[in-house]
Amino acid sequence: MKRLMILNGPNLNMLGIREPHIYGTTTLAQIRERCEQQAKQLNLQLSFHQSNHEGELVDLIQSARTSADAIIINPAGYSFTSVAIFDALKIFEGPIVELHISNIHARDKLHRHSILSAAATGVICGLGPYGYVAAMMAVAQMT
Ligand code: DHK
């Protein structure tokens, strides 16, 4: 069974109440439940995490080297700032899908250019919470 790690960065624990005009009203718990259903359908072993801390995300990415075959990451605000997460992703040998709920390309200048995309196999953005399902389907094909 292929092993998938899904990582969620800072403030995604606030989905549902956080700027709903941008991120919608679906909570992270609901997204997690949907991902768990999808993992069963795709025969993937899923580990799902959220952290507000850059170092914790780096630790998880490093641990994925031995515990996961693929990573899906919504780096949230760290997309635009974190060389440490970029470097950690570069060490991972399997496929990486970078995911954003909103279409970052249509957003303000601050949220438009992810420095992490150069370390990703593919990028999904603007599909809302469905992006997680789409990313999982892609990963199931890739790994
Ligand atoms: C989530 C965030 O927290 C923002 O910092 C990103 C991303 C976009 C999202 O759309 O899921 O800019």
Side-chain angles (χ1 to χ4, degrees), residues 9-12 15 18 22-23 74-80 99-104 107 110-112 125-126 132:
N11 299 306
L12 293 170
L15 284 176
R18 173 191 182 204
I22 297 175
Y23 300 108
N74 184 343
Y78 287 135
S79 311
F80 316 102
L99 164 70
H100 305 274
I101 292 167
S102 62
N103 178 2
I104 59 169
R107 293 191 57 185
L110 193 64
H111 291 94
R112 214 174 287 160
C125 73
Y132 286 81

Side-chain angles (χ1 to χ4, degrees), residues 12-50:
L12 293 170
N13 55 317
M14 303 304 283
L15 284 176
I17 56 168
R18 173 191 182 204
E19 297 182 277
H21 57 291
I22 297 175
Y23 300 108
T25 54
T26 306
T27 65
L28 191 64
Q30 289 168 327
I31 289 174
R32 182 183 189 142
E33 203 178 314
R34 182 70 186 88
C35 289
E36 282 166 358
Q37 286 168 3
Q38 191 65 23
K40 278 185 197 137
Q41 282 177 24
L42 294 170
N43 201 30
L44 297 170
Q45 182 188 304
L46 176 65
S47 66
F48 190 100
H49 309 269
Q50 188 276 330

